Structures are given as structure tokens and as C-alpha cells.
Amino acid sequence: MSLLFEEIGRTEADSQNVDVDGWRGVAARISAPDEADSHFGWLVITARRTNFPDSHSTSAAHVAATLVEASQRMAVAARQQERAIRTAVLEEALALRREPHNPELAARIAAFGLSFADELRTIVFRPIRPAVASRSLPAAEDLSEMLGKALESQSIAYLMTAKDKTITIAAQCSVQAFRRMIVAEGSKLPGALIGIGRSVHALGDILDSYQDAQLAVRTLRRNSRGPKVMAYEDFNYATRLFADVGFDKMIKWAQEFLKPLEGRELLVEGLQTYFEHAQNINAAADYLEIHHNSLRYRIAKAEEILGINLREPGAVSSVFLALTALELGRIQQPRPKSSGDTARSRRPSDVEASDVVPYSRPSVERAGVVRAPAR
């Protein structure tokens, strides 16, 4: 075999005759079904007969290679179709608003081997951008393929959909089983924040479990040095309260609590970034590309408007949960298409002025942050 494939590898031809160590035959390249100008193997037919291969054997080899390629294309098409159906079924389940009785949808879910009688979890897998600049995150389709193969290797029934740079999975497994799968895959999967929702016992629970998983990922983002996997059972008291009260109520209460900041996007952004960086002023200011005193001003102004003091634990919990509710509410709504420039390309100033100098390293020519009009 080594000698045969050594000879085959010397040419780029799609078909060739081989004669190695008394073995004579024909080799036909098997083209890859999903990659142009690529192949995944060879069909090799050999014998020790001196008159082999004849024209009939060569034709048979080429026909067989064509049939293998067709079979591979059919397998890829069937897998893509199955993945599309899995996505459609899960997205339909996530779109339900407390509708526990939908026999048709429940039957479609059961057709993929998922049962509400056994432990079923909704999982959100959000990749983390690698620290090494040369590496990039895999495309959502590629990541879905990786996760699908990992789940199938562990014989875990699942539904999956990719949305908003995250992969959402409904998997027939326990938290421990999913953790073991992640460990077993090791470096095959990119680093990620993984949220695992509560156990699903009925169709209407899928949305609750999904929201739990989103909340877990949001909580993990606050602590970059902590664990990368969080399940519903790992929630602290405040987070468990958030999950069990329900997103609809939490969003409504959050809107009422933060209403005084309506129209003050910079103050809200400052608070969000402050909490996303574990209440580290310097880290949050660096992320926003402003001076730390500017961020302190924004936070102090927000405290004044809301009538709170972020040195008090109750105020910290209230603001964090309110901001989390609003962000997760936005995640579940369709986003409008971008009109061009990114939100980070231009930032309005804290002070409404026609001539604003953005913060940069102090110099002789530029000693301040904001310059008033006509000065």
C-alpha cells in the first residue's frame, strides 16, 4: 500500500495506471463533494495478472469512482438538509411564548430522538476571540459542524441553530455529560463561554432554558478569569431570582428602573462596560478609549440620575440585573442591518459641543479632553 500510494502521489492526474512490485492496476481520484478542485481519496484496483487492467477493468474503476462521488454528494446533501431541519425545529421551539401544547412541533422534536421524559438541556455556545492575532474564530457553519460531530461521537441527540455569533443547542444529556464532551474534544473546539439552562420537561420550558443559558453566558462575560461553563444550578441567589421571575417581568422592571437614563446612551454604555469589566474603572475606560476620569464622571452622573450609590451591594445588583435584562431582551429581537459605519467608529462626546477633541495621550499641544465651542 505504501509503495502504491507513493507512486500515485507523484502525479496530479485524476486517473492513472500503476505497476508496483508486481501489482498492476488503475487508480481513480475521488473528488471531494463540498470542495472544488479537491479530493478525499483514491479508488485503487490492482491484481498480479500480467494482462491487468484491461479496458473493461479500467472502465469499471471509473464508473465505481463516479458512484462513490455521487454517494458522497448525496450524504453531504442529506446532512445539510438534516441540519437545516434541526435548525428550523429548534428556532420554532425558541419562538414559542409559553405554549406548552403543540403536538406537531413536539412530534418533530421527537423525530430527532429527543424526549421530555429524559434530561434535556438548552445550551448556548459563544466562542471567545483568541488572544493570538493570527488566529480567527471559525465560521458559524464550521463551528456547527464541529459541535454536531462532537455530540454525535458521544451519541447525544440534539437540535442546533447558529444565531448572533452563538450556537444554540437542545441536547439530550446532563450537565456532566456535556462537560465531559467538551473536555474530550479538547483543542478541536475553540475557547468559548458556555451557558447551560435548566432541565426541560415540556415544550414550553425550552424558551426558559434558553434564557437561562443566555443569562449564564452574560454572567460569565463579567468574570474573564473564572470558569468558562455555567449551568442553571450554578447561579447565585440574585441570578437564580432573575431566571425564575422570568424575562418578561425582568425586562419590564428594568425599563422602569432605567427610564431616567432614557436618551443618555453614553451613561448607559459606561455602566454596561463598567460591569462587563468586573467593575474595573481602568479596564473599562481602556475598552471605551476614554480617560478613566471621564468614565468616573459618567458613572457618577448615572448614580445621581438614578438616585443610587454603587458602593451599596443592593444598588450593584439592581443595576447589573437591569442592564442584563435589557441586553438579553435585545439579543432575542432581530437587529436592523448596519448602514455602514460601526458604532465604534464615532463616539459622541459627554458634552454636546460642535468642536470636540477626543481623549489621547497628553501632550503640549493637547492638554484637555473636551473643548467648548469657539475656543
Side-chain angles (χ1 to χ4, degrees):
M1 291 295 292
S2 298
L3 292 173
L4 279 169
F5 281 100
E6 183 179 347
E7 180 173 338
I8 292 170
R10 292 174 181 170
T11 177
E12 296 294 328
D14 289 336
S15 176
Q16 58 183 294
N17 289 332
V18 294
D19 187 351
V20 176
D21 197 26
W23 290 93
R24 301 175 183 83
V26 60
R29 187 194 299 266
I30 307 296
S31 300
D34 52 354
E35 296 182 30
D37 301 324
S38 179
H39 73 285
F40 71 91
W42 292 84
L43 176 66
V44 183
I45 303 174
T46 61
R48 283 192 173 275
R49 298 199 303 272
T50 56
N51 63 342
F52 191 85
D54 56 19
S55 59
H56 297 293
S57 302
T58 301
S59 298
H62 292 156
V63 170
T66 302
L67 291 174
V68 172
E69 290 177 353
S71 175
Q72 291 294 324
R73 284 195 295 271
M74 291 173 63
V76 169
R79 185 171 181 82
Q80 291 173 342
Q81 185 178 24
E82 180 182 335
R83 187 187 305 145
I85 296 172
R86 288 178 189 271
T87 296
V89 171
L90 180 54
E91 288 185 349
E92 186 175 349
L94 293 174
L96 288 176
R97 303 300 298 181
R98 309 299 185 274
E99 296 180 29
H101 303 296
N102 189 326
E104 183 181 349
L105 179 57
R108 292 207 298 273
I109 291 174
F112 287 100
L114 281 77
S115 168
F116 298 123
D118 299 319
E119 188 168 6
L120 176 64
R121 299 275 181 158
T122 304
I123 300 157
V124 170
F125 188 100
R126 184 182 180 87
I128 303 172
R129 187 166 297 281
V132 181
S134 60
R135 295 184 179 180
S136 59
L137 291 175
E141 184 176 349
D142 294 335
L143 184 54
S144 297
E145 183 74 16
M146 294 178 199
L147 286 168
K149 289 180 179 178
L151 290 163
E152 289 164 9
S153 70
Q154 301 293 320
S155 300
I156 297 174
Y158 70 94
L159 301 174
M160 185 186 303
T161 182
K163 183 179 181 182
D164 207 13
K165 297 182 180 179
T166 64
I167 306 297
T168 302
I169 307 165
Q172 193 87 67
C173 67
S174 64
V175 175
Q176 293 76 13
F178 193 82
R179 289 179 190 267
R180 285 196 298 271
M181 185 207 76
I182 295 298
V183 172
E185 291 301 305
S187 59
K188 294 180 183 178
L189 296 174
L193 301 177
I194 302 171
I196 304 176
R198 72 189 72 181
S199 184
V200 174
H201 301 290
L203 191 60
D205 296 339
I206 292 179
L207 180 60
D208 290 330
S209 184
Y210 168 69
Q211 292 173 340
D212 295 340
Q214 287 278 19
L215 180 57
V217 169
R218 179 71 173 79
T219 304
L220 289 171
R221 286 173 57 191
R222 290 182 60 211
N223 187 4
S224 58
R225 297 182 181 179
K228 303 305 180 187
V229 181
M230 176 177 283
Y232 171 78
E233 289 77 8
D234 301 325
F235 287 173
N236 60 25
Y237 177 81
T239 311
R240 179 72 65 88
L241 180 64
F242 184 122
D244 287 357
V245 166
F247 271 49
D248 293 338
K249 285 185 178 179
M250 288 298 292
I251 291 172
K252 179 181 178 182
W253 293 346
Q255 290 170 339
E256 294 173 356
F257 177 65
L258 297 175
K259 188 172 179 61
L261 295 180
E262 191 173 338
R264 310 294 294 269
E265 287 80 8
L266 282 174
L267 301 186
V268 175
E269 180 190 46
L271 286 172
Q272 287 175 326
T273 309
Y274 175 62
F275 281 103
E276 285 176 1
H277 289 80
Q279 297 166 266
N280 184 322
I281 284 283
N282 292 329
D286 288 344
Y287 178 82
L288 292 171
E289 300 175 359
I290 62 175
H291 194 273
H292 59 85
N293 284 336
S294 294
L295 181 57
R296 283 192 172 90
Y297 168 79
R298 295 186 189 183
I299 292 173
K301 192 67 177 175
E303 288 179 302
E304 177 187 338
I305 293 173
L306 294 174
I308 61 172
N309 183 348
L310 287 177
R311 292 184 179 87
E312 298 175 357
V316 172
S317 297
S318 297
V319 174
F320 168 69
L321 293 176
L323 291 171
T324 299
L326 292 186
E327 181 177 344
L328 295 181
R330 284 193 295 269
I331 287 174
Q332 296 179 59
Q333 294 176 353
R335 294 185 177 183
K337 292 184 179 180
S338 173
S339 59
D341 295 339
T342 62
R344 298 270 301 166
S345 61
R346 288 180 60 89
R347 291 187 180 279
S349 169
D350 283 337
V351 179
E352 294 295 333
S354 58
D355 188 6
V356 178
V357 179
Y359 172 76
S360 65
R361 294 185 179 277
S363 64
V364 175
E365 295 80 11
R366 181 174 294 171
V369 176
V370 179
R371 188 171 62 192
R375 292 263 182 149

